[in-house]
């Protein structure tokens, strides 16, 4: 159950990684490491985050000893960037498959849900040096046994252990997840990766509302394109291409 440097060294032997018992945000640490030349596939892992970040300045809750918080450093070519976050969600969904969970889905763009509750979030952050792509940091947070009772997330979040009704070993979960990430990284840029991500999306064909802070639109979630954008058809029969935002049903 413990996530120690020693256990990680044994389980993740070929990996270049940094482990912190406590961090602000693993993405921030990974961005610094990337700028200092971290190799493709390097990973930052923390047992607890004090300033875990979500998208658009939101907070990601990572209490000590009960979650996985990691950031994988990748050096894809520019044109493969849209698939990096798809890759993250896909690898997490496959981890859920491996555990034997049912009702697993990806809520566009990249929330992994179990029983329609969020078990994991993905935060890709791209680092540029002028017009040159330095690399991308793929942040992943997974709830393993986070107790959300009495919090504002009690109705919307879930942990792997409560969904499964079993206790889990975080090092084993991490090892499997990194294996899936490694596998899909080898297929970055492929139609297969896009198709596998698309097949996991759980709101296509439904009436949804999308908001991105500036505006909200309601319509049919018709499809996604290969860049990861959501295509929404509004009642006036106009097809909108949404590149970022949050969706809710109805
Ligand atoms: C995300 O943002 O879902 C991306 C989360 C990425 C977290 C990882 S952890 C490792 C790495 N280092 C970081 O600092 N971040 C990454 P977003 O779609 O904006 O969702 C954020 C929202 O999810 C919050 O506003 C809450 O409503 C909810 N939330 C926060 N913590 C949660 C949790 N542990 N489980 C489920 N939902 C949560």
């Amino acid at each position: 159950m413990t996530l120690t440097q020693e256990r990680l060294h044994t389980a993740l032997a070929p990996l270049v990684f940094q482990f912190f018992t406590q961090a602000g945000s693993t993405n921030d640490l990974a961005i610094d490491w990337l700028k200092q030349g971290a190799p493709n596939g390097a990973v930052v892992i923390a047992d607890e985050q004090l300033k875990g970040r979500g998208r658009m300045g939101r907070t990601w809750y990572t209490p000590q000893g009960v979650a996985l918080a990691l950031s994988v450093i990748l050096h894809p070519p520019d044109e493969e960037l849209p698939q990096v976050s798809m890759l993250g969600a896909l690898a997490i969904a496959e981890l859920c498959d491996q555990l034997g969970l049912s009702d697993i889905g990806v809520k566009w763009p990249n929330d992994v849900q179990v029983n329609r509750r969020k078990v994991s979030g993905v935060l890709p952050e791209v680092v540029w040096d002028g017009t040159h792509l330095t690399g991308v940091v793929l942040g992943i947070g997974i709830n393993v046994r986070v107790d959300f009772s009495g919090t504002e997330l009690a109705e919307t979040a879930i942990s792997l252990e409560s969904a499964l009704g079993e206790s889990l070993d975080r090092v084993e979960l991490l090892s499997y997840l990194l294996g899936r990430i490694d596998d899909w990284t080898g297929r970055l840029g492929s139609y297969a990766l896009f198709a596998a991500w698309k097949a996991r999306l759980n709101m296509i064909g439904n009436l949804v509302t999308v908001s991105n802070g500036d505006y909200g639109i309601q319509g049919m979630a018709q499809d996604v394109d290969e860049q990861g954008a959501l295509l929404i058809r509004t009642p006036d029969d106009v097809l909108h291409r949404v590149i970022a935002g949050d969706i809710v049903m109805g």
Side-chain angles (χ1 to χ4, degrees):
M1 297 294 180
T2 49
L3 200 61
T4 60
Q5 180 82 33
E6 196 181 335
R7 269 201 82 206
L8 288 169
H9 265 303
T10 312
L12 312 176
L15 273 179
V16 179
F17 72 89
Q18 294 182 1
F19 171 66
F20 298 85
T21 51
Q22 194 179 69
S25 155
T26 56
N27 266 31
D28 290 341
L29 294 167
I31 287 169
D32 288 345
W33 195 11
L34 171 60
K35 288 178 179 167
Q36 288 159 21
N40 193 47
V43 185
V44 177
I45 303 160
D47 195 34
E48 176 184 15
Q49 289 187 122
L50 301 178
K51 290 187 179 167
R53 293 193 276 109
R55 294 174 301 139
M56 298 175 265
R58 293 184 290 223
T59 299
W60 183 259
Y61 181 52
T62 319
Q64 190 245 327
V66 291
L68 286 175
L70 62 143
S71 301
V72 182
I73 295 165
L74 297 170
H75 292 279
D78 298 20
E79 63 275 15
E80 291 173 8
L81 281 176
Q83 285 202 346
V84 170
S85 56
M86 298 179 196
L87 176 160
L90 200 45
I92 299 156
E94 289 176 342
L95 170 67
C96 295
D97 287 346
Q98 171 72 8
L99 294 173
L101 289 164
S102 51
D103 195 10
I104 304 158
V106 175
K107 181 183 160 211
W108 184 89
N110 283 305
D111 287 357
V112 180
Q113 297 185 319
V114 172
N115 303 337
R116 298 272 164 163
R117 290 175 181 225
K118 184 162 175 170
V119 75
S120 178
V122 174
L123 179 66
E125 295 190 291
V126 181
V127 177
W128 298 92
D129 179 10
T131 55
H132 172 75
L133 174 66
T134 309
V136 54
V137 163
L138 175 63
I140 293 177
I142 303 179
N143 304 319
V144 180
R145 51 180 158 276
V146 182
D147 181 5
F148 292 103
S149 52
T151 74
E152 59 181 9
L153 300 172
E155 304 297 318
T156 55
I158 194 167
S159 285
L160 291 175
E161 285 193 358
S162 59
L164 196 62
E166 280 175 31
S167 53
L168 296 165
D169 181 318
R170 285 182 301 153
V171 176
E172 283 176 16
L173 297 175
L174 186 61
S175 173
Y176 187 82
L177 177 73
L178 291 171
R180 298 314 306 139
I181 291 174
D182 185 43
D183 189 29
W184 282 112
T185 301
R187 285 183 273 170
L188 259 181
S190 68
Y191 186 80
L193 194 159
F194 165 70
W197 171 75
K198 179 176 162 172
R200 299 271 181 178
L201 294 174
N202 61 11
M203 288 201 185
I204 301 299
N206 289 310
L207 190 62
V208 299
T209 302
V210 186
S211 60
N212 80 351
D214 298 334
Y215 67 93
I217 48 173
Q218 189 179 44
M220 185 65 71
Q222 187 166 310
D223 204 353
V224 282
D225 66 21
E226 286 188 47
Q227 301 300 304
L230 182 65
L231 306 176
I232 305 239
R233 190 169 296 281
T234 42
D236 55 2
D237 211 25
V238 174
L239 195 61
H240 300 255
R241 183 173 186 273
V242 182
I243 54 169
D246 293 299
I247 54 174
V248 287
M249 288 282 256

